PDB file of all heavy atoms in Angstrom:
ATOM      1  N   THR A1155      74.677  93.383  86.703  1.00 96.00           N
ATOM      2  CA  THR A1155      74.180  93.350  85.331  1.00 96.00           C
ATOM      3  C   THR A1155      73.877  94.784  84.908  1.00 96.00           C
ATOM      4  O   THR A1155      73.427  95.605  85.711  1.00 96.00           O
ATOM      5  CB  THR A1155      72.922  92.488  85.200  1.00 96.00           C
ATOM      6  OG1 THR A1155      71.926  92.953  86.108  1.00 96.00           O
ATOM      7  CG2 THR A1155      73.233  91.037  85.505  1.00 96.00           C
ATOM      8  N   THR A1156      74.127  95.075  83.642  1.00 95.00           N
ATOM      9  CA  THR A1156      73.920  96.425  83.109  1.00 95.00           C
ATOM     10  C   THR A1156      72.938  96.378  81.948  1.00 95.00           C
ATOM     11  O   THR A1156      72.823  95.362  81.249  1.00 95.00           O
ATOM     12  CB  THR A1156      75.250  97.034  82.634  1.00 95.00           C
ATOM     13  OG1 THR A1156      75.748  96.281  81.514  1.00 95.00           O
ATOM     14  CG2 THR A1156      76.292  97.020  83.751  1.00 95.00           C
ATOM     15  N   THR A1157      72.249  97.479  81.735  1.00 94.00           N
ATOM     16  CA  THR A1157      71.265  97.529  80.654  1.00 94.00           C
ATOM     17  C   THR A1157      71.896  97.876  79.311  1.00 94.00           C
ATOM     18  O   THR A1157      71.266  97.679  78.271  1.00 94.00           O
ATOM     19  CB  THR A1157      70.173  98.559  80.985  1.00 94.00           C
ATOM     20  OG1 THR A1157      70.775  99.838  81.255  1.00 94.00           O
ATOM     21  CG2 THR A1157      69.366  98.110  82.198  1.00 94.00           C
ATOM     22  N   GLU A1158      73.119  98.405  79.326  1.00 92.00           N
ATOM     23  CA  GLU A1158      73.859  98.711  78.109  1.00 92.00           C
ATOM     24  C   GLU A1158      75.203  97.984  78.158  1.00 92.00           C
ATOM     25  O   GLU A1158      75.650  97.570  79.232  1.00 92.00           O
ATOM     26  CB  GLU A1158      74.090 100.226  77.975  1.00 92.00           C
ATOM     27  CG  GLU A1158      72.820 101.056  77.941  1.00 92.00           C
ATOM     28  CD  GLU A1158      72.018 100.842  76.678  1.00 92.00           C
ATOM     29  OE1 GLU A1158      72.629 100.498  75.646  1.00 92.00           O
ATOM     30  OE2 GLU A1158      70.782 101.019  76.716  1.00 92.00           O
ATOM     31  N   PRO A1159      75.873  97.801  77.006  1.00 91.00           N
ATOM     32  CA  PRO A1159      77.164  97.117  77.018  1.00 91.00           C
ATOM     33  C   PRO A1159      78.161  97.807  77.951  1.00 91.00           C
ATOM     34  O   PRO A1159      78.253  99.034  77.979  1.00 91.00           O
ATOM     35  CB  PRO A1159      77.618  97.202  75.554  1.00 91.00           C
ATOM     36  CG  PRO A1159      76.353  97.344  74.773  1.00 91.00           C
ATOM     37  CD  PRO A1159      75.439  98.150  75.626  1.00 91.00           C
ATOM     38  N   LEU A1160      78.886  97.009  78.708  1.00 92.00           N
ATOM     39  CA  LEU A1160      79.884  97.513  79.642  1.00 92.00           C
ATOM     40  C   LEU A1160      81.250  97.509  78.970  1.00 92.00           C
ATOM     41  O   LEU A1160      81.759  96.463  78.566  1.00 92.00           O
ATOM     42  CB  LEU A1160      79.910  96.650  80.900  1.00 92.00           C
ATOM     43  CG  LEU A1160      81.010  96.940  81.915  1.00 92.00           C
ATOM     44  CD1 LEU A1160      80.944  98.380  82.403  1.00 92.00           C
ATOM     45  CD2 LEU A1160      80.934  95.953  83.074  1.00 92.00           C
ATOM     46  N   SER A1161      81.859  98.682  78.851  1.00 90.00           N
ATOM     47  CA  SER A1161      83.168  98.825  78.232  1.00 90.00           C
ATOM     48  C   SER A1161      84.265  98.762  79.286  1.00 90.00           C
ATOM     49  O   SER A1161      84.189  99.448  80.317  1.00 90.00           O
ATOM     50  CB  SER A1161      83.250 100.168  77.487  1.00 90.00           C
ATOM     51  OG  SER A1161      84.584 100.499  77.169  1.00 90.00           O
ATOM     52  N   SER A1162      85.298  97.953  79.030  1.00 92.00           N
ATOM     53  CA  SER A1162      86.454  97.940  79.918  1.00 92.00           C
ATOM     54  C   SER A1162      87.079  99.319  80.032  1.00 92.00           C
ATOM     55  O   SER A1162      87.532  99.733  81.103  1.00 92.00           O
ATOM     56  CB  SER A1162      87.500  96.937  79.415  1.00 92.00           C
ATOM     57  OG  SER A1162      87.006  95.627  79.429  1.00 92.00           O
ATOM     58  N   ARG A1163      87.093 100.051  78.925  1.00 93.00           N
ATOM     59  CA  ARG A1163      87.690 101.393  78.941  1.00 93.00           C
ATOM     60  C   ARG A1163      86.910 102.334  79.855  1.00 93.00           C
ATOM     61  O   ARG A1163      87.494 103.218  80.492  1.00 93.00           O
ATOM     62  CB  ARG A1163      87.754 101.965  77.522  1.00 93.00           C
ATOM     63  CG  ARG A1163      88.753 101.268  76.633  1.00 93.00           C
ATOM     64  CD  ARG A1163      89.005 102.071  75.366  1.00 93.00           C
ATOM     65  NE  ARG A1163      87.795 102.254  74.583  1.00 93.00           N
ATOM     66  CZ  ARG A1163      87.234 103.436  74.337  1.00 93.00           C
ATOM     67  NH1 ARG A1163      87.762 104.544  74.828  1.00 93.00           N
ATOM     68  NH2 ARG A1163      86.148 103.512  73.585  1.00 93.00           N
ATOM     69  N   TYR A1164      85.606 102.158  79.929  1.00 94.00           N
ATOM     70  CA  TYR A1164      84.789 102.987  80.815  1.00 94.00           C
ATOM     71  C   TYR A1164      85.204 102.758  82.271  1.00 94.00           C
ATOM     72  O   TYR A1164      85.423 103.705  83.035  1.00 94.00           O
ATOM     73  CB  TYR A1164      83.315 102.660  80.613  1.00 94.00           C
ATOM     74  CG  TYR A1164      82.371 103.447  81.500  1.00 94.00           C
ATOM     75  CD1 TYR A1164      82.036 104.763  81.207  1.00 94.00           C
ATOM     76  CD2 TYR A1164      81.833 102.862  82.649  1.00 94.00           C
ATOM     77  CE1 TYR A1164      81.175 105.479  82.020  1.00 94.00           C
ATOM     78  CE2 TYR A1164      80.969 103.577  83.467  1.00 94.00           C
ATOM     79  CZ  TYR A1164      80.646 104.884  83.149  1.00 94.00           C
ATOM     80  OH  TYR A1164      79.800 105.596  83.968  1.00 94.00           O
ATOM     81  N   MET A1165      85.328 101.507  82.649  1.00 95.00           N
ATOM     82  CA  MET A1165      85.742 101.191  84.016  1.00 95.00           C
ATOM     83  C   MET A1165      87.166 101.649  84.292  1.00 95.00           C
ATOM     84  O   MET A1165      87.466 102.201  85.359  1.00 95.00           O
ATOM     85  CB  MET A1165      85.614  99.693  84.266  1.00 95.00           C
ATOM     86  CG  MET A1165      84.197  99.198  84.434  1.00 95.00           C
ATOM     87  SD  MET A1165      84.154  97.464  84.963  1.00 95.00           S
ATOM     88  CE  MET A1165      84.987  97.557  86.546  1.00 95.00           C
ATOM     89  N   LEU A1166      88.073 101.419  83.344  1.00 95.00           N
ATOM     90  CA  LEU A1166      89.467 101.812  83.531  1.00 95.00           C
ATOM     91  C   LEU A1166      89.599 103.316  83.738  1.00 95.00           C
ATOM     92  O   LEU A1166      90.360 103.776  84.603  1.00 95.00           O
ATOM     93  CB  LEU A1166      90.308 101.375  82.331  1.00 95.00           C
ATOM     94  CG  LEU A1166      90.597  99.886  82.200  1.00 95.00           C
ATOM     95  CD1 LEU A1166      91.205  99.579  80.842  1.00 95.00           C
ATOM     96  CD2 LEU A1166      91.523  99.425  83.317  1.00 95.00           C
ATOM     97  N   GLY A1167      88.863 104.081  82.933  1.00 94.00           N
ATOM     98  CA  GLY A1167      88.922 105.531  83.058  1.00 94.00           C
ATOM     99  C   GLY A1167      88.443 105.998  84.422  1.00 94.00           C
ATOM    100  O   GLY A1167      89.077 106.850  85.061  1.00 94.00           O
ATOM    101  N   ASN A1168      87.334 105.431  84.892  1.00 96.00           N
ATOM    102  CA  ASN A1168      86.801 105.818  86.196  1.00 96.00           C
ATOM    103  C   ASN A1168      87.739 105.421  87.332  1.00 96.00           C
ATOM    104  O   ASN A1168      87.972 106.191  88.269  1.00 96.00           O
ATOM    105  CB  ASN A1168      85.423 105.192  86.410  1.00 96.00           C
ATOM    106  CG  ASN A1168      84.351 105.816  85.543  1.00 96.00           C
ATOM    107  OD1 ASN A1168      84.488 106.954  85.106  1.00 96.00           O
ATOM    108  ND2 ASN A1168      83.291 105.082  85.264  1.00 96.00           N
ATOM    109  N   LEU A1169      88.293 104.218  87.254  1.00 96.00           N
ATOM    110  CA  LEU A1169      89.207 103.761  88.298  1.00 96.00           C
ATOM    111  C   LEU A1169      90.491 104.580  88.316  1.00 96.00           C
ATOM    112  O   LEU A1169      91.003 104.945  89.380  1.00 96.00           O
ATOM    113  CB  LEU A1169      89.528 102.274  88.108  1.00 96.00           C
ATOM    114  CG  LEU A1169      88.398 101.301  88.400  1.00 96.00           C
ATOM    115  CD1 LEU A1169      88.736  99.912  87.890  1.00 96.00           C
ATOM    116  CD2 LEU A1169      88.105 101.243  89.908  1.00 96.00           C
ATOM    117  N   GLY A1170      91.032 104.859  87.113  1.00 94.00           N
ATOM    118  CA  GLY A1170      92.274 105.614  87.037  1.00 94.00           C
ATOM    119  C   GLY A1170      92.141 107.023  87.592  1.00 94.00           C
ATOM    120  O   GLY A1170      93.063 107.540  88.238  1.00 94.00           O
ATOM    121  N   ARG A1171      90.989 107.648  87.353  1.00 94.00           N
ATOM    122  CA  ARG A1171      90.788 109.006  87.865  1.00 94.00           C
ATOM    123  C   ARG A1171      90.617 109.023  89.380  1.00 94.00           C
ATOM    124  O   ARG A1171      91.095 109.929  90.056  1.00 94.00           O
ATOM    125  CB  ARG A1171      89.551 109.633  87.197  1.00 94.00           C
ATOM    126  CG  ARG A1171      89.809 110.140  85.781  1.00 94.00           C
ATOM    127  CD  ARG A1171      88.616 110.906  85.258  1.00 94.00           C
ATOM    128  NE  ARG A1171      87.469 110.034  85.021  1.00 94.00           N
ATOM    129  CZ  ARG A1171      87.234 109.400  83.886  1.00 94.00           C
ATOM    130  NH1 ARG A1171      88.080 109.526  82.871  1.00 94.00           N
ATOM    131  NH2 ARG A1171      86.156 108.639  83.742  1.00 94.00           N
ATOM    132  N   ARG A1172      89.942 108.029  89.925  1.00 93.00           N
ATOM    133  CA  ARG A1172      89.648 108.025  91.358  1.00 93.00           C
ATOM    134  C   ARG A1172      90.775 107.427  92.198  1.00 93.00           C
ATOM    135  O   ARG A1172      90.922 107.756  93.376  1.00 93.00           O
ATOM    136  CB  ARG A1172      88.349 107.260  91.621  1.00 93.00           C
ATOM    137  CG  ARG A1172      87.121 107.932  91.034  1.00 93.00           C
ATOM    138  CD  ARG A1172      85.857 107.112  91.253  1.00 93.00           C
ATOM    139  NE  ARG A1172      85.478 107.027  92.648  1.00 93.00           N
ATOM    140  CZ  ARG A1172      84.801 107.972  93.302  1.00 93.00           C
ATOM    141  NH1 ARG A1172      84.456 109.092  92.688  1.00 93.00           N
ATOM    142  NH2 ARG A1172      84.476 107.808  94.579  1.00 93.00           N
ATOM    143  N   TYR A1173      91.572 106.554  91.594  1.00 94.00           N
ATOM    144  CA  TYR A1173      92.640 105.879  92.341  1.00 94.00           C
ATOM    145  C   TYR A1173      93.957 105.934  91.559  1.00 94.00           C
ATOM    146  O   TYR A1173      94.503 104.899  91.166  1.00 94.00           O
ATOM    147  CB  TYR A1173      92.247 104.420  92.627  1.00 94.00           C
ATOM    148  CG  TYR A1173      90.997 104.314  93.447  1.00 94.00           C
ATOM    149  CD1 TYR A1173      89.744 104.210  92.830  1.00 94.00           C
ATOM    150  CD2 TYR A1173      91.051 104.352  94.838  1.00 94.00           C
ATOM    151  CE1 TYR A1173      88.583 104.140  93.595  1.00 94.00           C
ATOM    152  CE2 TYR A1173      89.888 104.277  95.605  1.00 94.00           C
ATOM    153  CZ  TYR A1173      88.667 104.173  94.977  1.00 94.00           C
ATOM    154  OH  TYR A1173      87.509 104.112  95.726  1.00 94.00           O
ATOM    155  N   PRO A1174      94.496 107.142  91.328  1.00 94.00           N
ATOM    156  CA  PRO A1174      95.717 107.267  90.507  1.00 94.00           C
ATOM    157  C   PRO A1174      96.923 106.588  91.129  1.00 94.00           C
ATOM    158  O   PRO A1174      97.865 106.217  90.417  1.00 94.00           O
ATOM    159  CB  PRO A1174      95.915 108.780  90.411  1.00 94.00           C
ATOM    160  CG  PRO A1174      95.210 109.347  91.601  1.00 94.00           C
ATOM    161  CD  PRO A1174      94.021 108.454  91.817  1.00 94.00           C
ATOM    162  N   GLY A1175      96.941 106.397  92.456  1.00 93.00           N
ATOM    163  CA  GLY A1175      98.068 105.756  93.108  1.00 93.00           C
ATOM    164  C   GLY A1175      98.013 104.246  93.081  1.00 93.00           C
ATOM    165  O   GLY A1175      98.964 103.579  93.490  1.00 93.00           O
ATOM    166  N   CYS A1176      96.910 103.670  92.597  1.00 95.00           N
ATOM    167  CA  CYS A1176      96.795 102.220  92.441  1.00 95.00           C
ATOM    168  C   CYS A1176      97.258 101.812  91.043  1.00 95.00           C
ATOM    169  O   CYS A1176      97.346 102.629  90.134  1.00 95.00           O
ATOM    170  CB  CYS A1176      95.350 101.776  92.668  1.00 95.00           C
ATOM    171  SG  CYS A1176      94.772 101.957  94.366  1.00 95.00           S
ATOM    172  N   TRP A1177      97.515 100.533  90.880  1.00 97.00           N
ATOM    173  CA  TRP A1177      97.874  99.996  89.570  1.00 97.00           C
ATOM    174  C   TRP A1177      96.581  99.565  88.874  1.00 97.00           C
ATOM    175  O   TRP A1177      95.927  98.598  89.281  1.00 97.00           O
ATOM    176  CB  TRP A1177      98.832  98.817  89.721  1.00 97.00           C
ATOM    177  CG  TRP A1177     100.209  99.242  90.133  1.00 97.00           C
ATOM    178  CD1 TRP A1177     101.261  99.517  89.310  1.00 97.00           C
ATOM    179  CD2 TRP A1177     100.694  99.436  91.473  1.00 97.00           C
ATOM    180  NE1 TRP A1177     102.364  99.883  90.050  1.00 97.00           N
ATOM    181  CE2 TRP A1177     102.048  99.845  91.377  1.00 97.00           C
ATOM    182  CE3 TRP A1177     100.121  99.320  92.745  1.00 97.00           C
ATOM    183  CZ2 TRP A1177     102.838 100.118  92.495  1.00 97.00           C
ATOM    184  CZ3 TRP A1177     100.900  99.601  93.859  1.00 97.00           C
ATOM    185  CH2 TRP A1177     102.235  99.999  93.724  1.00 97.00           C
ATOM    186  N   THR A1178      96.204 100.304  87.838  1.00 98.00           N
ATOM    187  CA  THR A1178      94.972 100.028  87.114  1.00 98.00           C
ATOM    188  C   THR A1178      95.266  99.003  86.017  1.00 98.00           C
ATOM    189  O   THR A1178      96.208  99.176  85.250  1.00 98.00           O
ATOM    190  CB  THR A1178      94.415 101.323  86.497  1.00 98.00           C
ATOM    191  OG1 THR A1178      94.240 102.285  87.535  1.00 98.00           O
ATOM    192  CG2 THR A1178      93.077 101.073  85.830  1.00 98.00           C
ATOM    193  N   PHE A1179      94.457  97.954  85.944  1.00 98.00           N
ATOM    194  CA  PHE A1179      94.785  96.847  85.049  1.00 98.00           C
ATOM    195  C   PHE A1179      93.564  96.339  84.302  1.00 98.00           C
ATOM    196  O   PHE A1179      92.426  96.489  84.745  1.00 98.00           O
ATOM    197  CB  PHE A1179      95.427  95.687  85.827  1.00 98.00           C
ATOM    198  CG  PHE A1179      94.531  95.083  86.876  1.00 98.00           C
ATOM    199  CD1 PHE A1179      93.647  94.052  86.567  1.00 98.00           C
ATOM    200  CD2 PHE A1179      94.576  95.534  88.191  1.00 98.00           C
ATOM    201  CE1 PHE A1179      92.822  93.495  87.532  1.00 98.00           C
ATOM    202  CE2 PHE A1179      93.748  94.980  89.171  1.00 98.00           C
ATOM    203  CZ  PHE A1179      92.879  93.959  88.840  1.00 98.00           C
ATOM    204  N   ALA A1180      93.841  95.732  83.149  1.00 97.00           N
ATOM    205  CA  ALA A1180      92.821  95.018  82.374  1.00 97.00           C
ATOM    206  C   ALA A1180      93.519  93.920  81.600  1.00 97.00           C
ATOM    207  O   ALA A1180      94.452  94.200  80.818  1.00 97.00           O
ATOM    208  CB  ALA A1180      92.084  95.951  81.422  1.00 97.00           C
ATOM    209  N   VAL A1181      93.102  92.678  81.809  1.00 97.00           N
ATOM    210  CA  VAL A1181      93.645  91.531  81.080  1.00 97.00           C
ATOM    211  C   VAL A1181      92.516  90.531  80.858  1.00 97.00           C
ATOM    212  O   VAL A1181      91.966  89.986  81.830  1.00 97.00           O
ATOM    213  CB  VAL A1181      94.805  90.845  81.835  1.00 97.00           C
ATOM    214  CG1 VAL A1181      95.335  89.667  81.009  1.00 97.00           C
ATOM    215  CG2 VAL A1181      95.934  91.816  82.148  1.00 97.00           C
ATOM    216  N   ASP A1182      92.155  90.327  79.620  1.00 95.00           N
ATOM    217  CA  ASP A1182      91.196  89.285  79.259  1.00 95.00           C
ATOM    218  C   ASP A1182      89.898  89.408  80.050  1.00 95.00           C
ATOM    219  O   ASP A1182      89.376  88.424  80.580  1.00 95.00           O
ATOM    220  CB  ASP A1182      91.821  87.913  79.474  1.00 95.00           C
ATOM    221  CG  ASP A1182      91.064  86.809  78.720  1.00 95.00           C
ATOM    222  OD1 ASP A1182      90.657  87.057  77.575  1.00 95.00           O
ATOM    223  OD2 ASP A1182      90.887  85.717  79.285  1.00 95.00           O
ATOM    224  N   GLY A1183      89.369  90.626  80.136  1.00 94.00           N
ATOM    225  CA  GLY A1183      88.090  90.853  80.784  1.00 94.00           C
ATOM    226  C   GLY A1183      88.151  91.086  82.272  1.00 94.00           C
ATOM    227  O   GLY A1183      87.130  91.440  82.889  1.00 94.00           O
ATOM    228  N   LEU A1184      89.311  90.899  82.915  1.00 97.00           N
ATOM    229  CA  LEU A1184      89.465  91.197  84.337  1.00 97.00           C
ATOM    230  C   LEU A1184      89.967  92.633  84.466  1.00 97.00           C
ATOM    231  O   LEU A1184      91.053  92.961  83.987  1.00 97.00           O
ATOM    232  CB  LEU A1184      90.453  90.235  84.989  1.00 97.00           C
ATOM    233  CG  LEU A1184      90.558  90.328  86.512  1.00 97.00           C
ATOM    234  CD1 LEU A1184      89.284  89.803  87.167  1.00 97.00           C
ATOM    235  CD2 LEU A1184      91.771  89.562  87.029  1.00 97.00           C
ATOM    236  N   VAL A1185      89.169  93.484  85.096  1.00 97.00           N
ATOM    237  CA  VAL A1185      89.441  94.922  85.141  1.00 97.00           C
ATOM    238  C   VAL A1185      89.422  95.378  86.593  1.00 97.00           C
ATOM    239  O   VAL A1185      88.503  95.032  87.350  1.00 97.00           O
ATOM    240  CB  VAL A1185      88.387  95.713  84.337  1.00 97.00           C
ATOM    241  CG1 VAL A1185      88.710  97.204  84.345  1.00 97.00           C
ATOM    242  CG2 VAL A1185      88.296  95.188  82.913  1.00 97.00           C
ATOM    243  N   GLY A1186      90.424  96.168  86.992  1.00 97.00           N
ATOM    244  CA  GLY A1186      90.429  96.638  88.366  1.00 97.00           C
ATOM    245  C   GLY A1186      91.524  97.655  88.633  1.00 97.00           C
ATOM    246  O   GLY A1186      92.232  98.106  87.722  1.00 97.00           O
ATOM    247  N   ALA A1187      91.655  98.016  89.902  1.00 97.00           N
ATOM    248  CA  ALA A1187      92.692  98.945  90.363  1.00 97.00           C
ATOM    249  C   ALA A1187      93.206  98.414  91.690  1.00 97.00           C
ATOM    250  O   ALA A1187      92.509  98.523  92.704  1.00 97.00           O
ATOM    251  CB  ALA A1187      92.153 100.360  90.499  1.00 97.00           C
ATOM    252  N   THR A1188      94.384  97.829  91.691  1.00 96.00           N
ATOM    253  CA  THR A1188      94.906  97.208  92.895  1.00 96.00           C
ATOM    254  C   THR A1188      95.888  98.118  93.615  1.00 96.00           C
ATOM    255  O   THR A1188      96.749  98.740  92.980  1.00 96.00           O
ATOM    256  CB  THR A1188      95.591  95.861  92.581  1.00 96.00           C
ATOM    257  OG1 THR A1188      96.070  95.283  93.806  1.00 96.00           O
ATOM    258  CG2 THR A1188      96.749  96.019  91.603  1.00 96.00           C
ATOM    259  N   PRO A1189      95.799  98.211  94.929  1.00 94.00           N
ATOM    260  CA  PRO A1189      96.774  98.990  95.680  1.00 94.00           C
ATOM    261  C   PRO A1189      98.016  98.183  96.043  1.00 94.00           C
ATOM    262  O   PRO A1189      98.952  98.726  96.637  1.00 94.00           O
ATOM    263  CB  PRO A1189      95.995  99.376  96.945  1.00 94.00           C
ATOM    264  CG  PRO A1189      95.075  98.214  97.160  1.00 94.00           C
ATOM    265  CD  PRO A1189      94.704  97.711  95.788  1.00 94.00           C
ATOM    266  N   GLU A1190      98.037  96.897  95.702  1.00 95.00           N
ATOM    267  CA  GLU A1190      99.091  96.004  96.175  1.00 95.00           C
ATOM    268  C   GLU A1190      99.979  95.528  95.030  1.00 95.00           C
ATOM    269  O   GLU A1190      99.529  94.829  94.121  1.00 95.00           O
ATOM    270  CB  GLU A1190      98.486  94.800  96.903  1.00 95.00           C
ATOM    271  CG  GLU A1190      99.522  93.932  97.575  1.00 95.00           C
ATOM    272  CD  GLU A1190      98.981  93.193  98.787  1.00 95.00           C
ATOM    273  OE1 GLU A1190      97.779  93.315  99.067  1.00 95.00           O
ATOM    274  OE2 GLU A1190      99.757  92.501  99.456  1.00 95.00           O
ATOM    275  N   LEU A1191     101.263  95.913  95.093  1.00 97.00           N
ATOM    276  CA  LEU A1191     102.256  95.460  94.122  1.00 97.00           C
ATOM    277  C   LEU A1191     102.871  94.170  94.637  1.00 97.00           C
ATOM    278  O   LEU A1191     103.629  94.178  95.614  1.00 97.00           O
ATOM    279  CB  LEU A1191     103.339  96.527  93.932  1.00 97.00           C
ATOM    280  CG  LEU A1191     104.449  96.183  92.935  1.00 97.00           C
ATOM    281  CD1 LEU A1191     103.903  96.108  91.513  1.00 97.00           C
ATOM    282  CD2 LEU A1191     105.577  97.211  93.016  1.00 97.00           C
ATOM    283  N   LEU A1192     102.555  93.070  93.993  1.00 97.00           N
ATOM    284  CA  LEU A1192     103.086  91.785  94.428  1.00 97.00           C
ATOM    285  C   LEU A1192     104.591  91.731  94.212  1.00 97.00           C
ATOM    286  O   LEU A1192     105.353  91.384  95.113  1.00 97.00           O
ATOM    287  CB  LEU A1192     102.396  90.648  93.673  1.00 97.00           C
ATOM    288  CG  LEU A1192     102.897  89.238  93.978  1.00 97.00           C
ATOM    289  CD1 LEU A1192     102.697  88.896  95.447  1.00 97.00           C
ATOM    290  CD2 LEU A1192     102.194  88.214  93.088  1.00 97.00           C
ATOM    291  N   LEU A1193     105.032  92.077  93.001  1.00 98.00           N
ATOM    292  CA  LEU A1193     106.460  91.997  92.702  1.00 98.00           C
ATOM    293  C   LEU A1193     106.800  92.791  91.454  1.00 98.00           C
ATOM    294  O   LEU A1193     106.094  92.724  90.445  1.00 98.00           O
ATOM    295  CB  LEU A1193     106.866  90.530  92.501  1.00 98.00           C
ATOM    296  CG  LEU A1193     108.303  90.147  92.850  1.00 98.00           C
ATOM    297  CD1 LEU A1193     108.650  90.512  94.291  1.00 98.00           C
ATOM    298  CD2 LEU A1193     108.507  88.663  92.627  1.00 98.00           C
ATOM    299  N   GLN A1194     107.896  93.534  91.537  1.00 97.00           N
ATOM    300  CA  GLN A1194     108.459  94.239  90.382  1.00 97.00           C
ATOM    301  C   GLN A1194     109.900  93.796  90.227  1.00 97.00           C
ATOM    302  O   GLN A1194     110.640  93.693  91.212  1.00 97.00           O
ATOM    303  CB  GLN A1194     108.409  95.747  90.601  1.00 97.00           C
ATOM    304  CG  GLN A1194     109.008  96.563  89.463  1.00 97.00           C
ATOM    305  CD  GLN A1194     109.057  98.045  89.794  1.00 97.00           C
ATOM    306  OE1 GLN A1194     109.703  98.457  90.754  1.00 97.00           O
ATOM    307  NE2 GLN A1194     108.335  98.839  89.016  1.00 97.00           N
ATOM    308  N   ARG A1195     110.304  93.512  88.989  1.00 96.00           N
ATOM    309  CA  ARG A1195     111.703  93.170  88.713  1.00 96.00           C
ATOM    310  C   ARG A1195     112.238  94.092  87.635  1.00 96.00           C
ATOM    311  O   ARG A1195     111.626  94.267  86.584  1.00 96.00           O
ATOM    312  CB  ARG A1195     111.843  91.722  88.248  1.00 96.00           C
ATOM    313  CG  ARG A1195     113.307  91.361  87.944  1.00 96.00           C
ATOM    314  CD  ARG A1195     113.458  89.908  87.516  1.00 96.00           C
ATOM    315  NE  ARG A1195     114.872  89.561  87.393  1.00 96.00           N
ATOM    316  CZ  ARG A1195     115.470  89.194  86.260  1.00 96.00           C
ATOM    317  NH1 ARG A1195     114.775  89.141  85.135  1.00 96.00           N
ATOM    318  NH2 ARG A1195     116.747  88.895  86.238  1.00 96.00           N
ATOM    319  N   ASN A1196     113.397  94.685  87.917  1.00 94.00           N
ATOM    320  CA  ASN A1196     114.111  95.530  86.958  1.00 94.00           C
ATOM    321  C   ASN A1196     115.579  95.153  87.042  1.00 94.00           C
ATOM    322  O   ASN A1196     116.300  95.613  87.928  1.00 94.00           O
ATOM    323  CB  ASN A1196     113.907  97.004  87.279  1.00 94.00           C
ATOM    324  CG  ASN A1196     114.527  97.915  86.228  1.00 94.00           C
ATOM    325  OD1 ASN A1196     115.207  97.448  85.316  1.00 94.00           O
ATOM    326  ND2 ASN A1196     114.303  99.205  86.353  1.00 94.00           N
ATOM    327  N   GLY A1197     116.023  94.290  86.128  1.00 92.00           N
ATOM    328  CA  GLY A1197     117.376  93.763  86.219  1.00 92.00           C
ATOM    329  C   GLY A1197     117.510  92.887  87.454  1.00 92.00           C
ATOM    330  O   GLY A1197     116.739  91.956  87.661  1.00 92.00           O
TER     331      GLY A1197
END
């Protein structure tokens, strides 16, 4: 719990700077930085 509003952008910025090799994501309030690529498709 936080005493001020928690911004997704605040978390994304911190995660992206500290873990640039991870995939940083935000979808519908779920925010994180995952090191695991489940699947990529290109053609």
Side-chain angles (χ1 to χ4, degrees):
T1155 56
T1156 65
T1157 55
E1158 301 291 333
L1160 173 58
S1161 165
S1162 297
R1163 290 193 300 116
Y1164 179 78
M1165 286 188 62
L1166 287 169
N1168 289 337
L1169 289 168
R1171 282 188 291 271
R1172 294 177 67 82
Y1173 299 92
C1176 292
W1177 287 267
T1178 304
F1179 62 88
V1181 181
D1182 198 40
L1184 188 70
V1185 182
T1188 181
E1190 188 152 3
L1191 180 67
L1192 177 61
L1193 209 56
Q1194 178 186 61
R1195 179 178 187 243
N1196 185 354

